[in-house]
Amino acid sequence: MRKSYRVKTEQDFQKVFQAGNSFANRKFVVYVLPKEQSHFRVGLSVGKKVGNAVKRNEIKRKIRASLTEMKPRIEPAVDFIVIARPSIATCSSKEIYFRACLKTCQNYSLMERN
């Protein structure tokens, strides 16, 4: 996923946290902020409770890969932040894609309507 698709600065994270809506499931907490832009942006956060640095980076790679696969279907006019919960540490890439990312995006209207 290109860097233009990422929420990078602390100020951008704070805008999404303060002005956006949040929802959660067992694997993620997601904050969403609608914006006027040509494509979505995503910020990832995986805390130390999930595991050591290697495990956290592995989880971020899996989430990024899942979002890249779903990119054509994700609503373009949003910024969102995905915070991984500790229960995600035991999930495989397929589980992260199907159970967590895809389900979350569908349930909370982050996917474009066809």
Side-chain angles (χ1 to χ4, degrees):
M1 185 176 300
R2 291 191 338 231
K3 288 192 179 194
S4 63
Y5 283 86
R6 296 186 190 166
V7 176
K8 293 179 275 191
T9 67
E10 177 67 23
Q11 294 165 340
D12 289 343
F13 268 85
Q14 289 306 317
K15 281 181 196 172
V16 176
F17 283 134
Q18 292 170 357
N21 296 323
S22 68
F23 46 87
N25 61 25
R26 291 182 186 141
K27 306 292 182 196
F28 298 121
V29 177
V30 180
Y31 289 85
V32 180
L33 180 64
K35 295 187 88 168
E36 292 297 321
Q37 56 198 15
S38 60
H39 58 79
F40 71 91
R41 295 189 316 159
V42 64
L44 299 177
S45 176
V46 182
K48 288 185 178 183
K49 289 183 181 179
V50 175
N52 63 16
V54 174
K55 187 67 175 174
R56 293 192 308 266
N57 289 332
E58 175 189 355
I59 290 167
K60 284 190 261 187
R61 278 193 307 273
K62 289 177 182 179
I63 294 170
R64 241 183 255 119
S66 297
L67 291 171
T68 301
E69 282 186 44
M70 294 187 309
K71 188 165 84 172
R73 299 183 293 180
I74 295 176
E75 185 71 40
V78 295
D79 280 354
F80 60 100
I81 295 174
V82 178
I83 301 171
R85 289 188 162 173
S87 64
I88 202 164
T90 59
C91 292
S92 68
S93 295
K94 286 183 181 182
E95 287 177 312
I96 288 174
Y97 178 76
F98 287 111
R99 290 191 182 163
C101 289
L102 187 62
K103 234 182 194 181
T104 302
C105 287
Q106 287 173 339
N107 289 345
Y108 299 105
S109 302
L110 295 177
M111 305 283 270
E112 286 186 325
R113 305 259 187 243
N114 291 336

